[in-house]
Amino acid sequence: MKLTQEEQKMLDGAYGEGVQLAMKVLVAVGEAYDAPYMVPVTRTHVALSNQEADLWFVEKLVRGGAHCKVSPTVNPGFNIELFEKLTGEMTAEDIEQMQRTRAAYQAIGATLTYSCTPYLQQNIPFFGEITAYSESSATPYVNSVYGARSNREAAQSALCAAVTGVTPYYGYLIKENRRGQALVEVKADMHDDFAYQMLGYVVPEKIGFQIPVFEGLSRPTPEALMNLGAELNTAGNVAIYHILGVTPEAQTYEDAFQGQKPTQVVTVTDDDLAEMQERLSDPKGKIDFALYGCPHFSIRQIHDVVQLVKGQKLAVPLYIMCSTATKDLAEKMGFLEILHAAGGELTDQTCMDQPCWRFLYGKKGVTDSPKCAYYTKRRQMQFVVTSLEKSVEAALKGEIA
Ligand code: F3S
């Protein structure tokens, strides 16, 4: 790769071992993808996972003196103080690991948002902006909805971009590689945000990892698009999609396919969505809890839950993961008080793929998120996956028929 003088100095260790390691990683990624040079990034998001390898890497950078040039927002781990209060079951190792994660990301200069939906709140790029986002719903959102440019970064490569301020020029940073490949004709009734969860899960089975261009979706909500991207990347590997007449690089058919023909045309029907929902769900019956916010819920989604539980008592505990900014807003708007009175909780700074949920292992819940059900399999949690409305009704009754 051709490096600038400044980049070469980073690689040679002039700014310390941490910066050197970050640049080494980026050069290796660049060479693997035949990138000719680096380009500056102006925004980054790191999908910290609070797991051993993630922590090892960021601590190594910190020990080497690295500090972020472009401060990244970060994904959630878990809220130690809240879960100690809620469960009293946190182990010393779990707490120590999360404390080390907090300390390391603070030391490296990250913006400690602890949320997986930075694109709705604190880290919103412009059209054409070169960025480095990791996190399965974040990368497709910034690429597809805002028309910003990001590769499907790992937490580590995004962190290296944050430290050095550059990223290799390849992949989805280049216009030609953002061209739509398969046309997806949506004939299903997309009447709520939940339908987009199913659509995202169905499509990779039909077209593999090609870039989909959706036809037949009119004005989806931001939350529907958040769901779509999250599931395209849970069932598949999709950094960008287009929606004809909706997303900025697909205002016309010609724009979406950049003047070429689709490689494949597929149709998605109500039957496809219903069959996928059936496959993703564990058997119905008695439930022990309800869990939402994978990806983190917006204030509008919290409002929708609050309307359903207002003045009632939930039969099982209900947890909603969200950002701290959204939780603060929910408190100001009186939503948190209503939720608490019903027996629900807003668990901010928290991801469902964390040991803080140990008290739910071996139990069955309801959720509107296939991604939540997918990742928690390894934590022996079972889920019936259904719409927000039906799942909240189930939480009020303690069962789902
Ligand atoms: Fe967010 Fe964790 Fe789900 S990062 S999208 S709550 S897997």
Side-chain angles (χ1 to χ4, degrees):
M1 286 183 77
K2 193 168 161 20
L3 299 183
T4 63
Q5 261 185 5
E6 185 65 6
E7 289 157 4
Q8 190 63 50
K9 274 170 80 178
M10 292 189 211
L11 188 62
D12 293 342
Y15 299 105
E17 283 176 13
V19 174
Q20 184 179 32
L21 175 59
M23 188 51 97
K24 264 189 192 168
V25 169
L26 294 178
V27 169
V29 171
E31 285 179 351
Y33 286 99
D34 288 331
Y37 47 78
M38 301 284 176
V39 284
V41 291
T42 43
R43 279 176 197 282
T44 55
H45 176 78
V46 173
L48 73 77
S49 69
N50 179 41
Q51 287 167 12
E52 208 42 63
D54 172 51
L55 192 49
W56 174 84
F57 188 70
V58 63
E59 284 183 340
K60 193 171 167 72
L61 289 179
V62 169
R63 275 198 307 277
H67 197 268
C68 292
K69 278 191 172 173
V70 181
S71 179
T73 45
V74 294
N75 257 26
F78 68 88
N79 183 331
I80 303 172
E81 296 74 16
L82 179 65
F83 276 85
E84 277 199 300
K85 219 163 53 188
L86 277 180
T87 74
E89 280 182 24
M90 302 306 306
T91 68
E93 296 78 55
D94 293 341
I95 291 173
E96 198 217 323
Q97 177 124 335
M98 190 63 228
Q99 282 168 337
R100 276 174 56 202
T101 297
R102 284 178 176 178
Y105 279 94
Q106 189 185 68
I108 207 161
T111 302
L112 301 179
T113 47
Y114 297 122
S115 171
C116 44
T117 54
Y119 48 86
L120 293 184
Q121 244 160 5
Q122 289 110 338
N123 204 354
I124 302 172
F126 294 109
F127 182 84
E129 190 171 350
I130 305 278
T131 66
Y133 277 64
S134 52
E135 163 51 37
S136 56
S137 76
T139 311
Y141 203 99
V142 300
N143 271 325
S144 316
V145 180
Y146 296 133
R149 297 192 178 189
S150 175
N151 279 309
R152 193 170 177 274
E153 302 286 353
Q156 290 70 33
S157 60
L159 185 57
C160 292
V163 165
T164 59
V166 295
T167 192
Y169 186 61
Y170 75 99
Y172 300 108
L173 306 188
I174 299 168
K175 183 169 186 251
E176 298 77 79
N177 297 336
R178 300 166 68 86
R179 178 175 66 81
Q181 293 167 316
L183 179 65
V184 181
E185 297 173 338
V186 182
K187 306 268 193 223
D189 176 10
M190 304 302 291
H191 60 284
D192 62 8
D193 297 343
F194 180 67
Y196 286 79
Q197 306 263 32
M198 292 303 131
L199 179 65
Y201 224 94
V202 161
V203 165
E205 278 199 3
K206 290 186 182 266
I207 65 164
F209 296 167
Q210 298 183 87
I211 297 176
V213 176
F214 294 98
E215 186 178 49
L217 301 177
S218 59
R219 297 288 148 216
T221 64
E223 292 82 359
L225 296 175
M226 170 173 107
N227 293 344
L228 178 64
E231 303 312 333
L232 283 169
N233 266 327
T234 303
N237 172 359
V238 178
I240 181 170
Y241 59 82
H242 301 290
I243 302 177
L244 283 176
V246 175
T247 55
E249 289 166 81
Q251 289 302 300
T252 65
Y253 189 93
E254 285 67 34
D255 284 351
F257 290 101
Q258 295 186 17
Q260 299 191 32
K261 292 221 168 339
T263 53
Q264 196 183 350
V265 179
V266 298
T267 302
V268 177
T269 64
D270 285 330
D271 285 350
D272 289 322
L273 303 191
E275 195 242 339
M276 181 54 77
Q277 187 183 344
E278 193 67 29
R279 268 166 54 195
L280 290 171
S281 272
D282 282 303
K284 293 177 176 163
K286 292 253 176 255
I287 55 162
D288 304 302
F289 66 95
L291 180 56
Y292 303 101
C294 177
H296 276 183
F297 260 23
S298 68
I299 194 70
R300 200 265 288 162
Q301 290 171 302
I302 294 171
H303 163 269
D304 291 351
V305 175
V306 163
Q307 291 310 305
L308 292 165
V309 303
K310 200 172 182 176
Q312 304 191 67
K313 276 276 173 216
L314 288 151
V316 295
L318 179 152
Y319 306 99
I320 303 175
M321 296 173 289
C322 63
S323 71
T324 302
T326 303
K327 184 172 180 174
D328 288 348
L329 192 56
E331 188 169 8
K332 285 197 188 82
M333 293 171 79
F335 295 167
L336 189 58
E337 199 182 337
I338 297 170
L339 211 53
H340 279 165
E345 185 57 273
L346 293 180
T347 56
D348 64 324
Q349 304 171 35
T350 300
C351 165
M352 55 82 219
D353 192 22
Q354 292 285 324
C356 58
W357 299 107
R358 194 172 282 115
F359 67 108
L360 299 179
Y361 291 4
K363 297 189 173 170
K364 184 184 282 188
V366 276
T367 184
D368 65 335
S369 164
K371 185 177 179 187
C372 180
Y374 174 84
Y375 278 107
T376 47
K377 286 274 178 270
R378 62 179 164 184
R379 298 185 187 275
Q380 293 83 49
M381 288 156 82
Q382 292 186 0
F383 278 101
V384 177
V385 181
T386 187
S387 70
L388 187 64
E389 204 172 345
K390 285 191 182 142
S391 56
V392 174
E393 275 167 20
L396 286 164
K397 285 191 205 134
E399 64 183 321
I400 181 158

